[in-house]
Structure formats: structure tokens, C-alpha cells
Amino acid sequence: MNEKRIRMALRLFPLFIAFLFVVCAGVICLRSHRQTAFAQISAFSEQLLEANPELEQTVLSAAKEYVSLTNREIKENQFLSRYGYRPEDFRRDLFPELLLLFSILFLCTACVFLFSSAYGEKRNRKRIAELTDYLERVNTNADGTILQTREDAFSHLQDELYKTVTSLYQTRENAVAAKKRFAENLANIAHQLKTPITGASLSLQLLASVPDAHTEQMKKHLQRLTLLEEALLTLSRIDAGTLPLSRTEVDIYTALCLAAENLETLLQKNQISVEIPDKGCVVFSGDMEWTMEALMNLMKNCMEYARPGSVVHCGYSENPLYAEISIWDEGPGFDPEDLPHLFERFYRGRHAAGNGIGIGLALARSIFELQNGTLSARNLPEGGACFEIRLYRH
């Protein structure tokens, strides 16, 4: 209630100032009018007495009687009209008085306008700052769900912001709950797969003494199922936010070399070499083991599409914002239709090579994103597929 009274008083204050200026201007004009009337009567009396000195007492008596007349009696007096005089014959230059009057009124209007504008702008900026601060607290997950209600020009905007934020909170909670359920279901599926895979592996070991084509085929299928089960468990941990990631300084050159060493057998089998030039020490804050896992998936993808005898190239650099890693091959590059879907889970391209299950690239992107990084893919102008990783400093 007190705040409403204060706002009302602040709104009436400019009107009060304007009224005060108008009153002052009226007083000044009235004083100027009286001064003009006095000067005119004084000049007339002076001229009359210079011509007729003996009429001094008569003129002074007439002046006293004139002072005692009321405004109505003076206005109704038309004595000089009998001799052909009109009010216009006694007009004097009123320009200075009018200039003063209009100057005061203009100054008054300008002051009120400037004061109202400055005050309104200040209040608007304050309200905008409050609403901006509210949205910033919401975006930083601070306590921004309550917003003090005010009745002003921004009330409707405030109500809509509150409704939108409340709806977004509810949507986020539902999405987090759905993601958690998805991660739990994925983990359950992976664990359910583990039991029959283990049983089948034990049975296969018993049959190993009598190897045949069917046994080898079963072995390959079980290996693929084992990889699928491990990938599903990893993805479920990522979705649930429980993947154990350490935060240490990771040297990029070391991580690339270790990833290539772990793929040495596959590289030799496919007659592919990896080129990793030493460009000095470039580090970022992350997890060495999971970074190696992601780099291995990218190198493996390049290896599968590279021609025998070709090279998988690696490079890295840094700037004040991020460290960048590039891995590219000398193959035909990505199919343009596959590029938008490369990092989708279980997606396999039209010309997919190997026996992959379509999780490697999705897993690699998730690992780098957990380390404040990004992973993208493109085709090189001279041919070949290229993966680009950016690991941001903050």
C-alpha cells in the first residue's frame, strides 16, 4: 500500500512542478502588467502637469481616486471613447513580456518532460534489469522460480515470463525423469544380455576341442554381442551421469600415440599406418583412459574406410579458447546423406564397412562432450573423411 502511494506521489510530482511554474509565470505577468499600467499613468500625469502646473492637486486627487477604483469599474470606463480614442491607440510593445512568459512556460514544459522521461526510463531500466536477473538465475539453476509481482507496464510480460519458466521447469523435470528411466532400462537390457552371453561363451569353450565353421561363426556373434553389451552399459552410465571421469592434464600427443598402439594389430591386418607428428606439448583437463577410447573409435572408423596401404593422419593445435584435434583418412569420404546422422546411436551408413553396431561415433561424441568438448565430421576438399575435436579451456 505504501509503495502504491509512493508511486502515485512520484507520478503527481511533475504535475505539481508544472503547476508551480505556471503560478510563478502568472505572478510575474501580473506584476509586469501592473508595472506597465503604473508607468503609463505616471507618464500621462507628468505630461499633464508640465503643461498645467496649477492642476497638481487635482491630478494627485484623481490618481488617489483611480487607485481606489475596482477592476470592474476600470474595465467598464469608456470615457475617452467620447473623443474618438480606442484601446489600440494606447498599445505599447509587449514583446519582452510575452517573450518572458513563453520562455517560462517553455522551460516549465521542458523540465517536466525531461524529468518524466528520465524517471520513466530509470524505472524501465530497473524493471528490465530485474527481469534479466531473474532469467539469469533461472539459466544458472539458481533459485529463480519466484518473482515478486508488481503492477506496472511490465506486469503482463512478467506474468508470461513466470508461466514460461514454470512450464520449462516442468518440462525439464519430465525430461530428466524420462532420461533416467531410459538409462535404467538400457542398463537392465545390458545386464540381461550378459547372462546368456556368458553361458554361450562357456558352452563355446567346451566345443572348442572340435572346431568347425559353425563354431567360428558362433564365436564371432558372441564377440559382437559382448561388444554390444559393454557399449550399452557405457551409454547407460553416460545417460545417467554416472560415468567415472577423472580430471587430470591429458597430453594430446600421448593420448593419440596410446590410441594408435592399442589398434596396432588391426592396423597391421588392414595394412594401414597412422601418422602422428609431434607438435609440442598441448594439454587439456580430462580423462586419459576415456579420451583414448574415443580416439580409438575415430581412428578405427577412418581405418575401416581407408584403402590398404594408405595413412590415417592425426594433428593437433591450440589457441587461447580451446585445443583442437584432427583425424582424417585418404578414403572416399562420408556419403553426404550420412553426414547429418553419423553420431546417432545405432546408425549405420549406406556403405558401412566392418561389423560395427553403430555406437562407436555416438560414444566418442558423448565422451568429448562430458569433457567440455565437441566432435564434428566433414569431408575434405581433396578427398577423405575428417573428424574435428575441440576441447574448450573453460
Side-chain angles (χ1 to χ4, degrees):
M1 191 67 178
N2 292 333
E3 185 178 354
K4 185 178 290 186
R5 290 179 178 177
I6 292 174
R7 288 202 303 269
M8 183 62 68
L10 291 174
R11 290 174 182 173
L12 294 177
F13 181 72
L15 298 177
F16 172 75
I17 296 297
F19 174 76
L20 186 62
F21 272 113
V22 171
V23 171
C24 292
V27 171
I28 293 173
C29 290
L30 179 61
R31 183 175 180 181
S32 176
H33 174 71
R34 287 177 176 175
Q35 183 68 28
T36 301
F38 176 79
Q40 288 177 348
I41 294 174
S42 178
F44 174 78
S45 300
E46 182 181 10
Q47 292 181 5
L48 180 62
L49 291 177
E50 285 180 356
N52 302 282
E54 69 278 6
L55 298 178
E56 181 178 355
Q57 293 300 323
T58 304
V59 170
L60 292 177
S61 299
K64 289 181 180 179
E65 291 180 4
Y66 172 78
V67 171
S68 63
L69 293 175
T70 63
N71 290 334
R72 182 176 180 181
E73 290 174 339
I74 293 174
K75 290 180 180 179
E76 292 179 352
N77 191 296
Q78 303 292 326
F79 176 76
L80 290 178
S81 62
R82 301 176 185 177
Y83 303 95
Y85 290 99
R86 296 176 300 170
E88 289 80 4
D89 298 329
F90 296 88
R91 182 178 59 189
R92 292 293 183 267
D93 188 9
L94 300 178
F95 179 75
E97 288 80 1
L98 292 175
L99 179 62
L100 177 62
L101 175 60
F102 283 111
S103 298
I104 293 175
L105 290 176
F106 176 77
L107 180 62
C108 171
T109 305
C111 290
V112 171
F113 176 76
L114 292 176
F115 178 82
S116 301
S117 299
Y119 175 71
E121 184 178 355
K122 183 178 179 181
R123 288 182 66 250
N124 290 343
R125 283 187 295 189
K126 183 178 179 181
R127 285 290 281 140
I128 292 173
E130 290 177 356
L131 295 175
T132 303
D133 178 68
Y134 169 69
L135 290 178
E136 287 177 352
R137 286 187 283 116
V138 170
N139 290 332
T140 56
N141 293 325
D143 183 15
T145 56
I146 299 177
L147 189 62
Q148 185 178 2
T149 303
R150 291 188 181 183
E151 296 296 332
D152 55 15
F154 293 89
S155 299
H156 184 65
L157 175 61
Q158 175 179 309
D159 292 340
E160 293 302 319
L161 281 176
Y162 184 77
K163 292 176 183 177
T164 303
V165 168
T166 304
S167 176
L168 289 175
Y169 265 110
Q170 187 64 39
T171 303
R172 186 181 67 177
E173 291 175 359
N174 293 337
V176 170
K179 186 177 181 181
K180 184 178 180 181
R181 289 193 300 269
F182 176 77
E184 292 174 351
N185 293 335
L186 200 60
N188 290 334
I189 292 172
H191 283 297
Q192 293 296 328
L193 284 172
K194 192 170 186 178
T195 301
I197 290 174
T198 302
S201 298
L202 292 174
S203 300
L204 187 62
Q205 290 178 7
L206 297 175
L207 296 173
S209 57
V210 189
D212 56 20
H214 297 291
T215 304
E216 291 298 322
Q217 191 71 16
M218 289 175 59
K219 186 176 181 180
K220 291 180 180 179
H221 288 314
L222 283 174
Q223 289 175 347
R224 187 177 181 188
L225 284 173
T226 301
L227 291 174
L228 175 61
E229 182 262 338
E230 293 175 353
L232 289 176
L233 280 177
T234 303
L235 290 175
S236 67
R237 292 175 183 174
I238 291 175
D239 290 339
T242 59
L243 187 69
L245 283 176
S246 61
R247 285 290 177 181
T248 58
E249 283 196 350
V250 177
D251 181 74
I252 293 178
Y253 178 74
T254 302
L256 288 169
C257 291
L258 291 175
E261 287 179 7
N262 283 306
L263 293 174
E264 186 65 30
T265 302
L266 285 176
L267 291 169
Q268 290 180 356
K269 181 179 178 181
N270 290 275
Q271 301 177 19
I272 303 294
S273 60
V274 178
E275 183 182 77
I276 308 174
D278 188 353
K279 296 186 177 181
C281 180
V282 176
V283 298
F284 69 94
S285 178
D287 187 289
M288 174 62 84
E289 295 299 324
W290 284 110
T291 300
M292 284 172 48
E293 179 74 22
L295 293 174
M296 286 170 58
N297 287 337
L298 300 181
M299 290 181 183
K300 191 186 299 183
N301 187 276
C302 288
M303 178 195 69
E304 291 175 350
Y305 292 93
R307 296 184 299 271
S310 63
V311 179
V312 173
H313 303 271
C314 300
Y316 59 95
S317 61
E318 67 175 338
N319 58 50
L321 296 179
Y322 55 82
E324 186 173 52
I325 306 173
S326 298
I327 301 175
W328 69 96
D329 59 41
E330 299 174 353
F334 299 112
D335 191 302
E337 295 182 3
D338 294 337
L339 271 174
H341 310 285
L342 284 176
F343 301 103
E344 295 178 3
R345 296 179 182 181
F346 306 106
Y347 178 80
R348 287 177 58 78
R350 297 173 56 190
H351 307 290
N355 295 319
I357 54 179
I359 293 182
L361 295 183
L363 182 60
R365 169 175 273 189
S366 297
I367 290 172
F368 286 123
E369 287 178 347
L370 289 174
Q371 299 179 97
N372 196 31
T374 61
L375 172 61
S376 59
R378 64 185 178 92
N379 286 322
L380 298 174
E382 63 274 14
C386 178
F387 293 104
E388 291 180 344
I389 307 150
R390 290 183 178 179
L391 297 155
Y392 292 89
R393 301 297 186 190
H394 302 289

